[in-house]
Amino acid sequence: MTLYLGTFLDTPDASGPSGVRLRTETDAALRVVDGVITARGPVADLRAAHPDDDVVDLREGLVLPGLVDTHVHFPQVRAIGALGMPLLEWLDRCALPEETRLASVGYAREVATEFVGGLVGAGTTTALVFGSHFASAVDVLFEEVDRVGLRVTAGLVVSDRSLPEPLLSTPERTYEESVALTRRWHGRGRTRYAVTPRFSYSASDDLLDACASVMKDVPGTWFTSHVNENQAEIAEVARLFAEAEHYVDTYDRHGLVGPSTVLAHNVHATDRELGLLAAQGASVAHCPTSNSALGSGLFPLRSHAEHGVRVALGCDVGAGTGFSLFKEGLQAYFMQQLLGAAGLPLASPDLLFLATRAGALALGLDHEVGDLSVGRQFDAVWVRPPAGDPLDVGLRHASCAEDALAKTFALATPGHVAGVWVGGDRVKG
């Protein structure tokens, strides 16, 4: 039994990305038993009620819920920073050559250590991870995730056309390797399995049928892929799937769009696609720095919200600028500002929601994580800048909790993350 003392900020009541109410408790305490928050209230009250509990004092800085990343590529950590290219050129020149190297288990193990370290260092405690095209590399990823203790949903990335030959599979092999991975990892510890065709651009109807078969035969699996990221990609998908009504339909016609679906990007969505996603209860992972770096476009958050489509944040990694969801939240704010009247104005509580509870909702984990309520797992991030750091100056002179949170999104880096807990286990600091 442990009492954690601090200033706690979260958004437990929010269901959408605008007008979010921030819950703030200062000089407060959370009581954690077996990784679960069992009580919260004033420090004096909880210390008096539980005098024999261990005490962890986090009152310098802020304590936030663990960050939830809904789209991040495991093989691309070494590809970060390749600027100046649109999506398809960047894939051919940067991402795909790096991804072929994960055929080597030794290489994959090195990357897995770097990747999981990047998530932890940035304060990400839960993630929906795009795995590797190689089953052996996905095993290595899950091994490292399990060792460190993160909450990760991930899977084998599958394609059967349009990519370099070493990255291609067949529908039969896709099914066999995916099911074998689910037997080893789905529901083990904090891991779950996600069926993961790379995108319709590289997946035939037969391959998508195989993906649907995995989901049918393995209950509780998730589905993730890309959609509507880049205009050239969208045009090619329309050519390849001439009978499909639109990009989202290339997945939906195989029964792959539903409440356990998270599609990344969706920058150029049509109203019909948004209506379908909302009706099916699917979610979208918004990756702001990747959209900016690749010149993919400005994300229409207002349209998603007006149609009732759930949106959460993803860092993407390779095409993005790192693992920090603070940076992604800030860039999301910038994008909506640049859209003017077409944008959805965001305040700091909205950014915290997008980086925490929104991701938990998208991943069906909102009953476990995403805020710091009683009954939730103690997944938490302690933001504590060193004395004299600009963020330290900002927090000391913040006018209110929302102002302190705004300064955190504006200035925080992984270097300001002093502690990270998953289910009460400290994984950083």
Side-chain angles (χ1 to χ4, degrees), residues 9 60-62 383-386 389-409 411-412 416:
L9 307 181
E60 292 184 11
L62 303 174
V383 178
R384 186 196 61 180
D389 181 275
L391 179 55
D392 171 60
V393 174
L395 293 180
R396 284 191 286 110
H397 295 279
S399 59
C400 62
E402 290 195 13
D403 186 34
L405 187 59
K407 296 177 189 305
T408 299
F409 273 95
L411 294 167
H416 296 117

Side-chain angles (χ1 to χ4, degrees), residues 8-338:
F8 301 98
L9 307 181
D10 62 355
T11 59
D13 303 322
S15 58
S18 182
V20 171
R21 182 184 72 83
L22 182 66
R23 178 170 65 173
T24 305
E25 291 195 52
T26 60
D27 199 27
L30 303 183
R31 188 173 194 242
V32 176
V33 179
D34 295 330
V36 176
I37 301 169
T38 61
R40 59 180 291 156
V43 168
D45 292 353
L46 266 69
R47 292 196 74 169
H50 307 285
D52 297 327
D53 283 6
D54 294 333
V55 175
V56 178
D57 194 337
L58 308 176
R59 284 178 287 189
E60 292 184 11
L62 303 174
V63 181
L64 311 176
L67 306 181
V68 182
D69 192 324
T70 57
H71 184 68
V72 53
H73 285 261
F74 154 48
Q76 294 180 8
V77 61
R78 297 182 179 184
I80 297 170
L83 305 178
M85 291 167 277
L87 171 66
L88 297 181
E89 181 184 357
W90 175 81
L91 285 171
D92 287 340
R93 291 179 56 185
C94 303
L96 298 181
E98 175 64 18
E99 297 204 20
T100 63
R101 298 185 180 103
L102 271 73
S104 163
V105 172
Y107 191 88
R109 185 163 281 114
E110 291 178 5
V111 174
T113 301
E114 296 164 351
F115 174 79
V116 174
L119 291 175
V120 172
T124 297
T125 57
T126 299
L128 177 58
V129 176
F130 238 71
S132 168
H133 288 269
F134 304 101
S136 57
V138 177
D139 268 322
V140 164
L141 169 65
F142 275 127
E143 287 170 4
E144 181 64 8
V145 165
D146 191 51
R147 184 188 71 80
V148 174
L150 294 188
R151 297 184 198 281
V152 165
T153 304
L156 179 71
V157 181
V158 294
S159 298
D160 64 351
R161 63 183 177 190
S162 305
L163 299 186
E165 192 280 332
L167 302 180
L168 298 181
S169 184
T170 65
E172 296 76 19
R173 200 174 101 204
T174 287
Y175 180 86
E176 292 169 2
E177 292 184 339
S178 297
V179 170
L181 284 163
T182 66
R183 289 173 179 157
R184 291 194 290 276
W185 296 108
H186 186 51
R188 172 175 167 178
R190 295 171 180 151
T191 63
R192 301 184 305 179
Y193 194 83
V195 175
T196 313
R198 190 174 196 102
F199 50 177
S200 296
Y201 175 84
S202 68
S204 68
D205 279 309
D206 287 344
L207 190 80
L208 293 172
D209 275 338
C211 292
S213 294
V214 176
M215 296 193 72
K216 177 176 178 288
D217 294 344
V218 185
T221 51
W222 286 72
F223 178 80
T224 190
S225 192
H226 298 90
V227 72
N228 288 323
E229 182 176 2
N230 169 279
Q231 294 286 14
E233 162 217 9
I234 295 167
E236 184 62 12
V237 167
R239 185 187 71 80
L240 292 168
F241 292 87
E243 296 181 359
E245 296 182 15
H246 41 64
Y247 201 149
V248 174
D249 185 46
T250 65
Y251 302 121
D252 186 56
R253 64 205 314 227
H254 296 277
L256 295 169
V257 179
S260 58
T261 297
V262 180
L263 296 174
H265 302 296
N266 210 33
V267 178
H268 305 286
T270 65
D271 285 343
R272 289 178 66 193
E273 289 173 302
L274 291 173
L276 175 59
L277 291 170
Q280 300 286 58
S283 300
V284 167
H286 174 29
C287 305
T289 68
S290 171
N291 295 160
S292 297
L294 295 177
S296 298
L298 297 173
F299 182 73
L301 181 58
R302 180 184 289 279
S303 295
H304 282 72
E306 289 175 347
H307 280 85
V309 179
R310 284 194 302 260
V311 175
L313 291 180
C315 74
D316 208 0
V317 167
T321 56
F323 289 89
S324 176
L325 289 184
F326 294 123
K327 187 185 294 186
E328 297 300 333
L330 181 64
Q331 187 69 14
Y333 166 82
F334 289 156
M335 280 192 164
Q336 298 311 305
Q337 291 290 96
L338 289 171

